[in-house]
Amino acid sequence: MVGTQDTLAVEAFGLTKVYGSGNTEVQALRGVDLSLARGEVIALLGPSGAGKSTLLTIVGLVNPPTAGRIRMAGKPVVEDGRFTVDVRSFRRQHMGFVFQKANLIPFLTARENVQVAMEINGHSPRRAKHGATELLDYLGVADRADHYPNMLSGGQQQRVAVARALANQPSLILADEPTAALDSVRGRQVMDLFRKVAHERQAGVIVVTHDHRALDLFDRALEMEDGLIRGKPAVAP
Amino acid sequence: MNLALKDIRHNFGRFALTAIGIGLLLMLVMGMGGIYRGLVDDATLLVNRINADLWVVQKNTRGPFAEISRIPANTEDRVRAVPEVASSDDFVSHTIQREQAGRPLRMTVQGLSWPQDKGEWLPLIAGRRLAQAHYEMIADKSLGLSLGTRMALGKDTYTVVGITRNMASTAGDSMVFVTLADSQAIQYDQSGEAVRLEREARKTRASEFDPGRVQPEILNRAVGPSSGIPALGPPPVSAVVVKIMPGADLAHVAAAIASWPDVSVYTADAQRQLLVGGMVDKSRRQLGLFRGLLIIVSAIIMALILYTLTLDKIHDIAVLKLMGARNMVVINLILQQAVLLGAIGYGIAYLAGQWVFPVFPRRVLIVNEDLWLLAGIVLAISVLASLLGIWRAMKVQPNEVIS
């Protein structure tokens, strides 16, 4: 999918990442190009060590690349391997994360887990609470809003995690094996959820996954191997 | 949203137990300060309460508290004759240990110069002041004696007619107050056999000299009561306390009395210096050092607790950072919990102290100045102790969540 700069969630060119030096040097990424439109959901596939998580941390502005550049929200965020924006501020305004484990904060209720993400971004507590309630309702877990994470099932926890990722209306959602801890039915439900929020809320979604059974829910599937996106990015069946 | 309070709410039991533990630790620090204060206050209590301008004691001694002092009882009359002296009174004080109702009772017996001093300056909480020259006493509450209790001291029985409080000697022993004559009777009490032996000894000594041989009346006097022998003076006193006239020159009066070759003179301030700087100095310094150590131990324990509490949340802190939380969000989480823990611990220490300190055998004196100081120290400890946790939290990278 090709879009204008306004419709692109992220655009990356020549991303490389090198760990160590000399004999211990490891090239985790070898010049990766990536383009993702708002509303698009792509799957990132590949064996362990292919560079999927490295790509995720670089696109998520958690680690800088060794070289390459990235544009997001219409402006450069990485140039020549260096961040050009306040990454924490940029992350809270434009990005959402979902992990293999829900990683909900255990001392906050489901609603508060979503609410805190909005308050961190400057929303008033009252507005954040209202927004969090709406999001939980949107994701079908409103009835569990006042429960702590340890009182929720795995699927419910992931739904709350998705709600948290959506809290600040991000242009990009990054998910690292979000269904690995779920059974196939619940896993598919979560993947379907990504598709729904991407299309309805116009967020680009990158999902790192080993689960080939739900590939039909993605707009594209990218296969990574040895730090490269293999072949031409293909549209999923 | 206050993350610190949310965390406490969710882990209330653990937080409460931790706060109680820190509270008890701070109570020890508070108590140690109180014992220190009590020691110093007890040491100077009598000097302050008696409120004399000058203390006249035996020559070259630091009496009557720091060391034994004995001066003739008539020194009181000599002092009164000094110009600009308003009053002078004998001071007699000694410590005894007796049994009462099967338990040891240690007390310092203080003589009051009856009839001019009936104990008006004592803070009574029950009963009355002395109303007769003999056989009545005012006792400190800590002795556990009730009004009307009768106690045999020496050859006489004394009745408790008044109860005072917070009256302890320089050594911390609870005090009883009787008239000066009774105090001396108790101090110099001898058994009948000892009196008989002394009289026989006097008779023997007198019969070995010519006057005794030729004057039978001398031998008769020698075997009689001591008070009937003019050559034997009344028992000595420990000191004479002096008040000067309003507007009189204290240094001038002190110099006049100090010029006598048999006495030394101290002002009330000098007497306090002797007590605090000498008598209780080692105990005071020891308590001070111990208190300092306790504060350091408290700081280390609090730092470890807060560090552990932070480690428990380290993954959540990484999540917050990944979500884009500013450092202040994380710092506030740790710092607020630290300050809250310190504040609640301090409150528990104060409240527990109100119950526990009165049970201590020696006075634990908690003054506002020390409470404010300790509050400041606890605040400083809380902030410093949280630094270790904050340092660890700042080192956490958001990619720890992804990896």
Side-chain angles (χ1 to χ4, degrees):
Chain A
M1 187 181 286
V2 179
T4 65
Q5 286 191 351
D6 285 345
T7 59
L8 285 177
V10 63
E11 198 175 15
F13 305 98
L15 294 180
T16 64
K17 183 68 180 179
V18 179
Y19 294 111
S21 60
N23 292 337
T24 59
E25 184 178 295
V26 174
Q27 279 210 311
L29 294 181
R30 301 164 183 267
V32 171
D33 295 337
L34 179 70
S35 176
L36 175 71
R38 282 172 169 264
E40 186 182 17
V41 188
I42 64 172
L44 206 54
L45 304 166
S48 293
K52 304 186 297 296
S53 291
T54 301
L55 180 60
L56 209 66
T57 60
I58 288 172
V59 173
L61 306 185
V62 174
N63 286 330
T66 306
R69 56 198 175 88
I70 301 174
R71 289 181 68 83
M72 262 188 241
K75 60 181 177 183
V77 293
V78 174
E79 289 282 353
D80 296 328
R82 290 197 312 275
F83 294 129
T84 58
V85 291
D86 175 355
V87 290
R88 250 192 239 190
S89 168
F90 197 88
R91 276 204 306 266
R92 68 174 169 261
Q93 289 174 37
H94 299 286
M95 303 171 87
F97 294 86
V98 183
F99 315 97
Q100 181 177 336
K101 290 192 293 181
N103 279 322
L104 298 177
I105 296 172
F107 55 82
L108 299 180
T109 62
R111 190 199 325 268
E112 288 165 348
N113 263 283
V114 183
Q115 188 181 335
V116 74
M118 300 175 87
E119 285 190 27
I120 280 171
N121 199 29
H123 293 286
S124 69
R126 189 175 171 180
R127 190 174 160 199
K129 186 175 182 180
H130 181 70
T133 307
E134 277 189 346
L135 274 172
L136 292 176
D137 189 38
Y138 174 66
L139 292 165
V141 281
D143 59 325
R144 314 298 283 173
D146 294 322
H147 289 68
Y148 286 100
N150 63 357
M151 300 156 76
L152 303 176
S153 70
Q156 288 170 335
Q157 286 186 23
Q158 276 304 33
R159 281 171 182 271
V160 176
V162 173
R164 183 175 64 183
L166 290 171
N168 295 311
Q169 295 179 319
S171 55
L172 178 64
I173 294 174
L174 301 171
D176 190 9
E177 301 192 35
T179 60
L182 303 176
D183 60 45
S184 60
V185 175
R186 292 186 194 285
R188 191 171 177 83
Q189 284 175 348
V190 170
M191 291 297 194
D192 202 29
L193 201 57
F194 283 126
R195 187 180 175 81
K196 179 184 172 187
V197 299
H199 292 167
E200 292 181 6
R201 300 201 167 225
Q202 287 300 294
V205 181
I206 301 175
V207 181
V208 171
T209 183
H210 286 108
D211 188 356
H212 289 251
R213 291 170 298 183
L215 285 182
D216 59 302
L217 297 174
F218 293 91
D219 296 318
R220 282 188 289 157
L222 303 179
E223 184 81 24
M224 281 199 78
E225 191 171 348
D226 296 332
L228 286 167
I229 294 179
R230 202 174 58 183
K232 195 175 179 181
V235 177
Chain B
M1 181 186 302
N2 190 309
L3 293 174
L5 290 179
K6 298 285 181 190
D7 185 30
I8 291 169
R9 177 192 65 181
H10 190 246
N11 299 297
F12 185 76
R14 184 178 66 172
F15 184 84
L17 281 176
T18 308
I20 289 171
I22 286 176
L24 293 178
L25 195 61
L26 290 178
M27 188 189 76
L28 289 182
V29 178
M30 199 180 277
M32 201 54 69
I35 292 171
Y36 174 94
R37 284 277 179 192
L39 186 80
V40 173
D41 199 66
D42 282 352
T44 54
L45 183 75
L46 263 183
V47 175
N48 293 337
R49 284 279 162 83
I50 288 173
N51 199 26
D53 295 313
L54 295 171
W55 289 74
V56 181
V57 301
Q58 184 181 336
K59 186 73 178 177
N60 293 334
T61 69
R62 304 290 185 267
F65 305 108
E67 65 176 299
I68 290 174
S69 160
R70 285 205 174 110
I71 53 174
N74 65 5
T75 308
E76 176 192 357
D77 303 319
R78 290 164 57 198
V79 170
R80 197 174 293 125
V82 174
E84 297 184 316
V85 167
S87 68
S88 69
D89 291 304
D90 286 333
F91 178 87
V92 174
S93 182
H94 57 98
T95 301
I96 59 174
Q97 183 168 322
R98 301 292 151 83
E99 279 212 354
Q100 176 76 2
R103 67 184 175 99
L105 209 56
R106 190 173 170 80
M107 57 192 134
T108 295
V109 179
Q110 172 75 41
L112 300 177
S113 288
W114 176 271
Q116 59 268 38
D117 184 358
K118 302 180 178 70
E120 292 88 345
W121 50 279
L122 292 170
L124 291 185
I125 57 171
R128 58 171 172 78
R129 295 170 178 83
L130 301 185
Q132 61 186 47
H134 293 289
Y135 316 130
E136 287 188 347
M137 68 160 62
I138 298 169
D140 188 77
K141 184 188 173 191
S142 61
L143 285 166
L145 302 173
S146 53
L147 284 178
T149 301
R150 292 169 63 78
M151 178 183 281
L153 296 172
K155 293 181 180 61
D156 304 307
T157 300
Y158 296 82
T159 304
V160 177
V161 297
I163 303 290
T164 183
R165 70 175 167 194
N166 293 338
M167 294 302 298
S169 70
T170 53
D173 298 313
S174 305
M175 299 190 75
V176 296
F177 298 85
V178 296
T179 62
L180 196 81
D182 285 349
S183 168
Q184 287 180 313
I186 295 166
Q187 184 175 11
Y188 298 108
D189 174 54
Q190 287 182 309
S191 67
E193 181 61 12
V195 171
R196 279 191 292 277
L197 287 172
E198 171 58 21
R199 289 177 183 177
E200 282 303 315
R202 282 205 299 258
K203 183 182 174 185
T204 304
R205 286 196 298 272
S207 63
E208 289 172 355
F209 292 93
D210 285 344
R213 291 194 193 106
V214 299
Q215 294 287 339
E217 186 58 25
I218 288 179
L219 291 181
N220 287 342
R221 286 286 183 92
V223 296
S226 298
S227 58
I229 305 173
L232 297 175
V237 296
S238 302
V240 170
V241 290
V242 182
K243 283 204 174 185
I244 63 170
M245 292 174 176
D249 184 346
L250 184 64
H252 183 71
V253 177
I257 301 172
S259 67
W260 300 347
D262 60 336
V263 296
S264 291
V265 181
Y266 297 102
T267 62
D269 281 341
Q271 196 62 258
R272 284 186 203 101
Q273 281 298 316
L274 287 176
L275 288 163
V276 176
M279 197 171 165
V280 298
D281 183 53
K282 279 187 181 174
S283 306
R284 190 173 63 94
R285 279 191 289 157
Q286 183 144 328
L287 283 171
L289 284 171
F290 196 62
R291 188 187 186 194
L293 279 175
L294 266 178
I295 289 173
I296 292 169
V297 169
S298 304
I300 291 171
I301 290 176
M302 272 191 78
L304 285 174
I305 288 172
L306 289 167
Y307 184 66
T308 308
L309 287 175
T310 305
L311 283 187
D312 286 349
K313 289 191 286 287
I314 214 74
H315 185 77
D316 308 321
I317 288 168
V319 171
L320 286 169
K321 283 189 170 183
L322 186 65
M323 284 159 55
R326 294 175 184 86
N327 282 340
M328 278 312 292
V329 172
V330 177
I331 290 171
N332 277 340
L333 167 64
I334 299 168
L335 196 59
Q336 285 172 3
Q337 280 194 348
V339 172
L340 208 56
L341 200 60
I344 292 174
Y346 180 85
I348 290 171
Y350 179 78
L351 292 175
Q354 300 294 309
W355 286 88
V356 174
F357 295 153
V359 183
F360 278 38
R362 280 202 69 160
R363 200 148 64 96
V364 181
L365 185 62
I366 306 294
V367 297
N368 284 342
E369 184 187 339
D370 285 353
L371 287 174
W372 283 113
L373 179 67
L374 184 60
I377 289 172
V378 170
L379 181 65
I381 286 177
S382 302
V383 173
L384 287 173
S386 67
L387 292 181
L388 191 62
I390 289 171
W391 168 78
R392 179 70 183 90
M394 290 299 103
K395 277 180 61 182
V396 176
Q397 295 300 318
N399 59 4
E400 289 182 25
V401 182
I402 294 174
S403 58

